[in-house]
Each structure stands twice: as structure tokens, then as C-alpha cells.
Amino acid sequence: MERMSLKQQQQRLREDVILQAVNSLLAEKGYDLMTVDGVAAVVGIAKASLYKHFESKERLAAAAMVRLLDRTLEIIESQAASAAPLDKLTSIVRWAVREHLRGQMPALPSTRSALREALIAHKPYVDRLIRVTEHLGGWIEAAQHEGAINPRLSGEVVLYTVFARACDPVSDFLKLSGAYSDEEIVELIAETCFSGLATRPS
Amino acid sequence: MERMSLKQQQQRLREDVILQAVNSLLAEKGYDLMTVDGVAAVVGIAKASLYKHFESKERLAAAAMVRLLDRTLEIIESQAASAAPLDKLTSIVRWAVREHLRGQMPALPSTRSALREALIAHKPYVDRLIRVTEHLGGWIEAAQHEGAINPRLSGEVVLYTVFARACDPVSDFLKLSGAYSDEEIVELIAETCFSGLATRPS
DNA sequence: GTCTATAAACCGATAGAC
DNA sequence: GTCTATCGGTTTATAGAC
């Protein structure tokens, strides 16, 4: 029994190393340009060995996305319940941009990606996505109720906009320019997201 | 001489049909997923015939991007000189989102794309990109000078943010939801871009 | 479980006939 | 210029030895 558990733990650890590599490659090149050979090379094992752990490239990417959503849920649930909803939403955006700059944020599954269809058919992924959406949706509603978020925007629009900031190419271009530290970029994305480009009357 | 000109016009027309198909496929699947076979199939000619017009897939995509920037310059130069800089910038964002929703806006050449390197080495592309950047940069500076755009944001940040809205996945998801007309989506993206998600004190 | 070797499919690009 | 046919390379996925 204990032997079994140890072996399972080892396998779990190995698969976690694999998924970290997948997340990194997914962020670097996206699903289509990521090759299974490349993943195997980064992990340091043969491609055929990878297929003993994950039955297909799609499942491999799905497992990496599930891992990302699990980490997202951790961050969400670590927010102080007493904090203002708008502050909690801002914290999530900051965390997501930080992950993006670290090269650990896979690109959003585009509406026209082949991966997207596989993901929405993968229950573990959808379950977690629903949980993330419900958490953020609740915060958005609360923020609008207390007048902190523009009530003329539907919750849907706010939610998608928050999601999209996690993969905003603006952070890549700002990083490429070399004129900003990572934390400055995080602040700039958060500020333009919530306050916009136009001047705010103070 | 006239025969020559007519033939050239015909070729020009044919190549424009090709580039429109490329722009559409570039918007639909991105550079890597776009196949030369697919382009030929949409146009209705054989792949080998395509290579008589464009020497490589990269050049094909580059020509399509040049065509896009030429249309962008047309829109930019059609703006009334007397209009407020912020209004002109908003008009460009609206036009770009509209093109995106029509499926005619190729994805931004990512910082890590193979296409990007080919593009920055392609002078006709770079020349037009510089002209677009100079126009928009002038408007941004003017808008900040008259207090319409947040002066704490560098021109670089504003410029990249405006560019990025052209390919914002938020518009795709809103379209997918079916709850909004195209023009409503255009307004929502423009409003969140310039005014942000948070409430504005009026 | 890990490896090497390979199958099957696809893609970019070219050859050569018309 | 357009076509068919094909080359060379890559990719996902599998077979079989250890």
C-alpha cells in the first residue's frame, strides 16, 4: 500500500515536471508550434516515453491547462474575503501578467483553435474553468453593486477583458523594448485595464 | 506598351484576390496553421501557380501584411485634420475591431513568431509600419498635450495598447456569445480601451 | 517505463509538360 | 502561367526490444 503510494507520488512528480515544460512551451510557441519532440527534449526523455504518461498531444496540453487553472484557483482562494472586490480582481490580473512575463502563461485557447474543441470536451478542464468563472463573476457583480466597476458593462464583457489581459501582447512588446521592469509592466497593464488610456478626472 | 499595362493590371487584380484570401486565412488560423495548399484551394488555382506570383510562404504573408498596412494608412489619412486627436485614435481602434470582426485582421506578428523575423527584414513592410507608427505617435502626443490621454502613460504604452486592440480576443468571445451586434462589440472594445473597466467619476 | 526505429500523414517547395 | 506529380523534411503516433 505504502509502496504503491510512493510510486504514485514519484509518477506524480515526474508528470509535474513534464507539465511545467509543457506550460512553458505552450507560452513560448503556442499549441500548434509546440512539438511533442520538443517537450521530450526539454524533459530529457524519449517521445515514446511521454506517450506512456499522456495518450495524445491534446491530452498533454489539456493536463497543462488544468494545472494552470488549479494554480489560478489557489490564487483566487488565497484572496482575503474582506478585501474590496475590485482589489481582488486587480490582484488576479497582476498575478496573471506576472505569470505571463515569467513565460508560464499559455496562450488563451483561441476561438478558432483545434485545441479549444478538445478542451471543452475535457471535463476536468471545464469543471475548473467554471469554478474560476464563478469566483470572478461573483467579484465582478459585487464590484458593480458597490459602484466600483462601470455598471454599463455586462459581467461577460468584464470577465472576458480580465481573462484577456493574462495574454495581452502589450506586455511582450513592453518587455522587448527593455525600458520597463517586470513589475512596472504589471502595473501598466493593470492600470490601462481598469482605468483606460484616457485621462481620468480626479 | 498598352498590352503590357493591361496584362500588369490583370496580374495585379489576380494577386489582390490572392492577398485577400491570405488575409482571411491569416486572420482565421494564423501564419503557422495557414497552408499554401489552403490558400490555393480558396483562390481556386494550383499551389505551383501561387509560387509563380510569390516566391515563398513568408513573402506571401508579408505581401498580405503590406496590403493591410496600406489600407490602415488610407484610414489614417482620411481622418479630418481638425478632429480631436483622441477621437482620431478612437476611430482607428473602431475600424480595426470592425476589420477583426469581418475576419480580415491578421493576428499581430507575435514577438516569438518565425514570421516576425521575416517581416522586420522586409523593407516594404517596415516602411509602412514606421509611417503608421509616426501618424499614431503624433496623435498620441497631441492628445496628451491637450490633456485627453493619461500623461502618466508613455507614448509607447499607448501605441502598443491601441495596436493590441485590433486583435483582442475579447471581441471573438463576445461575438461567440451571440449577445451583441458587431457594432456593439466595437463600442465595447473602444470604451474599455479608453475608459477602462472601473467606474469613471462624471 | 525507457529506448530506437518506423509508419502514416502533412507541408513547403520544385520539376517538367502543356 | 497553369497544371500534375513528386521530393525532402517534419510531425504525431506506434511497434517492439530491453
Side-chain angles (χ1 to χ4, degrees):
Chain A
M1 199 68 161
E2 213 172 57
R3 205 94 180 253
M4 191 73 168
S5 173
L6 245 174
K7 209 166 193 180
Q8 282 184 345
Q9 274 191 13
Q10 274 191 339
Q11 176 167 342
R12 186 85 190 213
L13 218 68
R14 178 72 127 251
E15 290 182 355
D16 206 64
V17 172
I18 295 173
L19 292 186
Q20 192 172 346
V22 172
N23 255 340
S24 176
L25 287 170
L26 229 39
E28 188 185 331
K29 332 204 213 184
Y31 178 74
D32 300 305
L33 242 62
M34 179 189 84
T35 66
V36 180
D37 281 289
V39 176
V42 169
V43 179
I45 59 175
K47 175 169 52 173
S49 305
L50 257 186
Y51 276 93
K52 298 284 181 180
H53 291 276
F54 302 93
E55 65 179 359
S56 71
K57 184 188 179 186
E58 283 181 352
R59 280 305 175 97
L60 189 60
M65 293 300 292
V66 166
R67 184 174 176 273
L68 171 71
L69 287 182
D70 278 337
R71 290 173 59 225
T72 307
L73 280 167
E74 275 180 30
I75 300 294
I76 286 176
E77 284 161 0
S78 76
Q79 298 296 308
S82 60
L86 182 61
D87 290 339
K88 290 195 270 195
L89 284 170
T90 309
S91 288
I92 300 301
V93 169
R94 284 206 190 94
W95 172 79
V97 176
R98 235 172 256 130
E99 287 295 304
H100 181 106
L101 289 170
R102 284 204 316 138
Q104 289 290 328
M105 178 64 68
L108 264 191
S110 149
T111 53
R112 328 174 238 277
S113 166
L115 176 59
R116 187 183 150 79
E117 295 171 18
L119 284 177
I120 60 178
H122 189 55
K123 194 164 183 306
Y125 173 81
V126 174
D127 284 348
R128 283 159 178 85
L129 185 60
I130 288 176
R131 285 178 58 199
V132 168
T133 299
E134 282 174 350
H135 272 105
L136 298 185
W139 293 352
I140 291 168
E141 207 172 328
Q144 285 183 318
H145 191 261
E146 65 183 40
I149 282 193
N150 187 348
R152 284 172 39 216
L153 300 172
S154 71
E156 205 176 11
V157 170
V158 178
L159 180 70
Y160 291 162
T161 303
V162 166
F163 273 149
R165 282 324 131 241
C167 326
D168 201 321
V170 172
S171 38
D172 295 316
F173 288 113
L174 290 180
K175 178 135 193 169
L176 202 68
S177 85
Y180 308 90
S181 70
D182 281 12
E183 208 52 34
E184 282 171 335
I185 295 175
V186 168
E187 278 314 305
L188 285 167
I189 301 290
E191 179 166 354
T192 56
C193 176
F194 290 100
S195 299
L197 297 177
T199 305
R200 296 218 142 207
S202 70
Chain B
M1 200 66 163
E2 212 172 58
R3 203 93 179 255
M4 190 73 169
S5 173
L6 246 175
K7 208 165 193 179
Q8 282 184 346
Q9 274 190 12
Q10 274 191 340
Q11 175 168 343
R12 185 85 191 216
L13 217 67
R14 178 71 129 249
E15 289 181 356
D16 206 62
V17 172
I18 295 173
L19 292 186
Q20 192 171 345
V22 172
N23 254 339
S24 177
L25 287 170
L26 230 38
E28 188 185 330
K29 330 204 217 183
Y31 178 73
D32 300 305
L33 240 61
M34 178 188 83
T35 67
V36 181
D37 282 287
V39 176
V42 169
V43 179
I45 59 176
K47 176 168 55 173
S49 305
L50 258 185
Y51 276 94
K52 298 285 181 179
H53 292 276
F54 302 93
E55 64 179 359
S56 70
K57 184 189 179 185
E58 282 182 353
R59 280 305 174 97
L60 189 60
M65 293 300 291
V66 166
R67 184 173 176 272
L68 170 71
L69 288 182
D70 278 337
R71 291 172 59 225
T72 306
L73 280 167
E74 276 181 30
I75 299 294
I76 286 176
E77 283 160 1
S78 75
Q79 299 296 308
S82 61
L86 182 61
D87 289 340
K88 291 194 270 196
L89 283 171
T90 309
S91 287
I92 300 302
V93 169
R94 284 204 190 94
W95 172 79
V97 175
R98 235 173 255 129
E99 288 294 305
H100 181 104
L101 290 170
R102 284 204 316 137
Q104 289 290 329
M105 179 64 69
L108 266 191
S110 148
T111 52
R112 328 172 236 277
S113 166
L115 176 60
R116 187 182 152 80
E117 295 171 18
L119 284 177
I120 61 178
H122 189 55
K123 195 165 182 307
Y125 173 82
V126 174
D127 284 348
R128 285 159 178 84
L129 185 60
I130 288 176
R131 285 178 58 200
V132 169
T133 298
E134 281 175 349
H135 272 105
L136 298 185
W139 293 352
I140 290 168
E141 206 172 330
Q144 284 182 317
H145 191 259
E146 66 183 38
I149 281 191
N150 187 348
R152 285 173 38 216
L153 300 172
S154 71
E156 204 177 14
V157 170
V158 179
L159 180 70
Y160 291 161
T161 302
V162 166
F163 273 150
R165 282 325 131 239
C167 325
D168 200 320
V170 173
S171 37
D172 295 316
F173 287 114
L174 291 180
K175 179 137 192 164
L176 202 67
S177 84
Y180 309 89
S181 71
D182 280 13
E183 208 51 36
E184 283 172 334
I185 296 175
V186 168
E187 278 313 306
L188 285 168
I189 301 290
E191 180 167 353
T192 56
C193 176
F194 290 100
S195 299
L197 296 178
T199 305
R200 296 214 143 211
S202 71

